[in-house]
Amino acid sequence: MNGRDLVRSVRAVGSAGPALGWRTARAAWRGRRADALLPGPRGAERARVPGAVRGAEPGPGGGVVRFGRAWLRIFVAVNGAVFWGWDGAGPEPSYAVAGRCPEPDPRAVLEPDKDGGWRVVAERVTVAVCRRGSVEVRTPGGVVLRRELPPRWWEPVGGGAARWAQRSEVAADARFFGLGGWSRGPRLRDGAYRLWNAEPGRGGGAASVTMPVQLVVADAGTHLVFHDCGWDGTVTLREGEEGAGSGHDRPGRSVLRMAGGPLRCWAVVGTPARVLRIWASLTGAAALPPVWALGHQHAPGGAGGEAEVRRAVAGHLGRGLALDAVHLGLGHAGGGGVFTVDGERFPKLPALAEELRRDGVRLVSDVVPGVPAVPGHAVYDDGAAGDVFVRGAAGEVVRGVGRGGEVVFPDFTREGVRAWWGGFYAERLGQGFAGVRHDGDEPVSPAAFGGATLPRSARHGLEGRGGDHREAHNVYALCMARAGYEALRRLAPEERPFVLSRSGWAGTQRYGGVWSAAPAEGWPGLRASLALVLGLGLCGVPYAGPDAGGTGGRMSPELYLRSLQLGAYLPLFRTRGAGPGAGEPWEGDARVLEGARAVFAERRRLLPYFVALAHGARRTGAPWVRPLWWSAPEDRELRDCEDAFTLGDCLLVAPVCEPGVERRSVRLPRGRWYDTATERVYEGPVRVAVDAPPDRIPVFARAGSVVPVRGADGGLELEVWAPAPGLAGGGLVVPDAGGGRDGAEPERYTARWRGRRLVVEREDGDGGRAPSRPVRVRGLGPDGAAAR
């Protein structure tokens, strides 16, 4: 037990009582003792580098390059992605890759390169292997986007997993993005980033979703690199500098250090849209959320029961505050902990769920992985009989600390355990829940379990390969999400599964979205929330969001409204009963209530647009929330802009993240933009100063956009922003009412000028025809022409 464990134990004693505190201390001591069985980190090791190239063997899409002390497998896949793996590491098995690995591209061949190296030339990328083991990712024109220097391994003399380090260089002007959901992003500054899922730390010191995915943007091009290794690791980044030292550029650098596992990598080159499309084809299409999940979801802040839920729902609906779902926290399970219901506080939960559903409100249940280690508990007894729980290095079942006592953890890295766990979701559906939110799946949350964690020496199945928690930790939540998603698909085939996870890894989007509590407190939390969502989107997880309106503490009315205004434009819009005075919106003054009503109404109005974004992400991999440089990565000023974003192709949102601001500066990308509040027109690229009064934040519409919105009668209508003279625009509409797995086929609309007349048409196989939906044109001058 070290000092950190002792501090956590003392905090637990002070905050949760002596019983929980001492259980926490005992669990930490047991974990520390178990980890002592692991090989010492400073034991005898041999350092190794690849050495000089010895020869090559061409193969499908690439081949094998042999060095003096290592060998490299490399090939280009048919989807355009490039794979390389050292010392026999292949693309499978992988938790990130969806289904089977894509086939090699037969057109790509391994051929000799200059200076004794080798290269694979493909349509969009050239990969060169230098004679000492460097791997260069080049554009078709030969410009080096990334140079992976020769890797280095440290192998235990007595055998076991080797730790390794991979150093990389990028262009001096490059900017780093990705690595999961980091609150200190989206642009990742110089520093170290721990690849170990944890409860989000205040101030950005930890992230609940980490993954070795880097999206790098430079003048020469954009590329994504994914080192497919889920072990504990650290990425150290340093941005480059142009003209550093006697006029020479200093390249940007990345150093990835892993405690073990394979050294294998995927790389994709192209525009941001192409990169994310190929990444989605590799890791899987994003799950399509139910339509109700694109509206306003709320988690009551208290610990009450059915009466509190009714009060929260009636308070929203009775005051004209749109509400689509209510989340029940861990307290609704009572002392049973998991797949149970507190019968005293919720005596007729199925009846309550049905009543709320008639009002258009769904119930979502919190589910945690910790199973109370209590004989007689149905889940525990069944799991113990089936030997599904994680065991320690000595063979004993590992025990952690839950709210009500000791808990044990299913090993979700085993297929049979996932199927066993999924069977219990029938109980959630039977209680009337429409979806689930996984909490404490890091796999153990200090907030939920008193600070205990699975020891690094704990054993996992890992799909039959076997290994310890150092390898399984980061993919644990991914496997739990898979268990829940596949169970809901099987148990309710007519409904779209709704699964939210707090943690995850590459490929999490296949099973649902990611939720995080506010990643930082106060005003910094707004910027951190946006950074988290942007970072996850660039890693292929489009449906994500934090809690808007705080997590339980007091907030000023200004901060509360600004938090709601930002959250309403993020994919997952979930609020907490933690407004001014730690209550609901109506418990503040009248201005707070009116501001909240406007926010919820705008989210409801834009619901058809969010539906179109969800379908677009599933088809193309493009995130809903995008950095301003998405369509113009060559614009250096946009790369450094972190206080605004585009919502799809049509809208640009500029949230207010500082107190006392009623006017702010916004950088607009190239093209014509309309202020949606005033319809004033701006020609980009330009930086403008616009009003940001307390009741709204600046939002701009791209000229030519066709935005599907909800009309006053509840029907779908088209909001068309006039294109610039001589230009055309358009947009997609998906008439999705929530039925079916994949929804309806999209409708494409165009808007173009014919003389002084603006024509909106729906495209089909026979050409264009008049839209069958109401059309509202905005951005026209007083004479009916485009605004100037």
Side-chain angles (χ1 to χ4, degrees), residues 298 311-316 319 321 584-589 592-593:
H298 182 68
R311 184 184 70 86
V313 173
H316 280 83
R319 293 171 175 82
L321 302 174
E584 303 290 357
W586 53 88
E587 296 179 5
D589 57 33
V592 171
L593 177 58

Side-chain angles (χ1 to χ4, degrees), residues 689-702:
V690 295
D691 291 335
D695 62 340
R696 65 176 176 86
I697 57 177
V699 178
F700 299 84
R702 190 189 301 271

Side-chain angles (χ1 to χ4, degrees), residues 457-760:
S457 58
R459 305 298 300 175
H460 293 266
L462 292 168
E463 318 308 327
R465 303 190 313 276
D468 60 41
H469 194 62
R470 294 175 298 176
E471 183 177 1
H473 177 87
N474 285 337
V475 302
Y476 188 89
L478 171 74
C479 295
M480 182 180 178
R482 178 180 177 181
Y485 179 82
E486 292 178 346
L488 293 177
R489 278 182 64 96
R490 182 180 67 255
L491 296 168
E494 72 285 354
E495 301 284 344
R496 293 176 196 163
F498 179 72
V499 177
L500 278 183
S501 302
R502 193 169 84 170
S503 186
W505 204 61
T508 291
Q509 74 278 358
R510 300 192 296 264
Y511 311 120
V514 169
W515 157 87
S516 174
E521 296 179 347
W523 287 96
L526 301 189
R527 191 180 294 268
S529 297
L530 176 57
L532 183 148
V533 174
L534 280 168
L536 287 172
L538 295 175
C539 291
V541 184
Y543 184 62
D547 279 340
T551 57
R554 290 187 62 91
M555 301 180 71
S556 68
E558 181 188 11
L559 174 57
Y560 178 69
L561 283 179
R562 294 305 194 190
S563 176
L564 291 184
Q565 290 164 358
L566 169 61
Y569 290 99
L570 298 181
L572 171 63
F573 182 34
R574 193 185 100 125
T575 60
R576 290 287 297 270
E584 303 290 357
W586 53 88
E587 296 179 5
D589 57 33
R591 291 174 300 174
V592 171
L593 177 58
E594 287 304 311
R597 183 179 289 119
V599 168
F600 297 151
E602 180 64 6
R603 177 69 178 215
R604 178 60 59 89
R605 190 182 77 90
L606 289 175
L607 186 62
Y609 184 53
F610 278 96
V611 170
L613 292 176
H615 282 266
R618 181 169 178 80
R619 288 179 168 88
T620 68
W624 312 7
V625 171
R626 307 166 186 174
L628 294 188
W629 51 258
W630 176 261
S631 298
E634 70 282 355
D635 189 328
R636 294 192 177 189
E637 187 172 350
L638 292 182
R639 288 184 217 157
D640 297 335
C641 182
E642 300 177 285
D643 61 351
F645 61 94
T646 60
L647 184 61
D649 291 326
C650 299
L651 301 179
L652 187 152
V653 182
V656 174
C657 301
E658 297 177 354
V661 173
E662 295 193 13
R663 189 170 177 83
R664 60 153 294 177
S665 174
V666 183
R667 168 73 177 180
L668 297 177
R670 187 181 309 277
R672 172 170 289 192
W673 297 88
Y674 295 96
D675 186 323
T676 59
T678 65
E679 297 195 18
R680 180 177 177 180
V681 66
Y682 300 93
E683 296 289 345
V686 66
R687 182 171 290 277
V688 299
V690 295
D691 291 335
D695 62 340
R696 65 176 176 86
I697 57 177
V699 178
F700 299 84
R702 190 189 301 271
S705 297
V706 177
V707 184
V709 298
R710 191 173 186 265
D713 61 353
L716 193 154
E717 67 179 32
L718 307 179
E719 184 175 85
V720 180
W721 291 89
L727 300 179
L732 292 177
V733 176
V734 181
D736 183 359
R741 285 286 170 78
D742 298 321
E745 285 298 314
E747 303 171 0
R748 180 175 294 275
Y749 292 87
T750 59
R752 58 172 59 89
W753 289 102
R754 289 180 182 170
R756 294 180 60 85
R757 181 167 173 259
L758 180 62
V759 178
V760 180

Side-chain angles (χ1 to χ4, degrees), residues 219-573:
D219 287 353
T222 301
H223 72 274
L224 179 146
V225 165
F226 169 53
H227 290 89
D228 193 354
C229 178
W231 281 64
D232 184 9
T234 302
V235 178
T236 303
L237 301 177
R238 190 182 73 173
E239 292 184 344
E241 182 180 351
E242 293 182 293
S246 303
H248 297 289
D249 290 348
R250 188 191 74 194
R253 293 181 178 174
S254 166
V255 180
L256 173 62
R257 294 181 174 88
M258 286 290 185
L263 204 175
R264 55 186 180 179
C265 182
W266 287 94
V268 185
V269 173
T271 64
R274 180 179 185 270
V275 166
L276 267 294
R277 184 176 67 252
I278 294 176
W279 176 242
S281 72
L282 185 68
T283 60
L288 195 61
V291 172
W292 59 262
L294 304 180
H296 170 219
Q297 305 179 50
H298 182 68
E306 182 176 320
E308 181 181 346
V309 173
R310 292 183 183 278
R311 184 184 70 86
V313 173
H316 280 83
L317 300 184
R319 293 171 175 82
L321 302 174
L323 182 64
D324 298 275
V326 171
H327 289 234
L328 299 188
L330 298 177
H332 80 277
V338 61
F339 298 123
T340 57
V341 173
D342 188 329
E344 293 185 1
R345 293 193 297 146
F346 293 93
K348 298 179 179 179
L349 186 56
L352 172 65
E354 180 59 31
E355 177 185 333
L356 296 182
R357 187 181 287 261
R358 288 195 294 268
D359 291 332
V361 180
R362 270 71 171 183
L363 282 183
V364 177
S365 170
D366 273 17
V367 175
V368 296
V371 177
V374 179
H377 189 286
V379 181
Y380 175 76
D381 289 346
D382 198 48
D387 191 21
V388 304
F389 300 124
V390 175
R391 292 184 176 271
E396 78 290 358
V397 174
V398 176
R399 297 190 175 212
V401 178
R403 290 176 180 268
E406 291 188 324
V407 293
V408 291
F409 307 96
D411 182 5
F412 295 118
T413 67
R414 293 158 53 188
E415 182 179 2
V417 175
R418 290 194 294 270
W420 166 82
W421 180 263
F424 291 103
Y425 284 73
E427 184 273 341
R428 297 288 87 179
L429 295 178
Q431 295 290 350
F433 290 107
V436 296
R437 181 175 70 93
H438 292 166
D439 200 357
D441 52 356
E442 286 89 5
V444 183
S445 160
F449 300 110
T453 183
L454 284 173
R456 295 160 65 86
S457 58
R459 305 298 300 175
H460 293 266
L462 292 168
E463 318 308 327
R465 303 190 313 276
D468 60 41
H469 194 62
R470 294 175 298 176
E471 183 177 1
H473 177 87
N474 285 337
V475 302
Y476 188 89
L478 171 74
C479 295
M480 182 180 178
R482 178 180 177 181
Y485 179 82
E486 292 178 346
L488 293 177
R489 278 182 64 96
R490 182 180 67 255
L491 296 168
E494 72 285 354
E495 301 284 344
R496 293 176 196 163
F498 179 72
V499 177
L500 278 183
S501 302
R502 193 169 84 170
S503 186
W505 204 61
T508 291
Q509 74 278 358
R510 300 192 296 264
Y511 311 120
V514 169
W515 157 87
S516 174
E521 296 179 347
W523 287 96
L526 301 189
R527 191 180 294 268
S529 297
L530 176 57
L532 183 148
V533 174
L534 280 168
L536 287 172
L538 295 175
C539 291
V541 184
Y543 184 62
D547 279 340
T551 57
R554 290 187 62 91
M555 301 180 71
S556 68
E558 181 188 11
L559 174 57
Y560 178 69
L561 283 179
R562 294 305 194 190
S563 176
L564 291 184
Q565 290 164 358
L566 169 61
Y569 290 99
L570 298 181
L572 171 63
F573 182 34

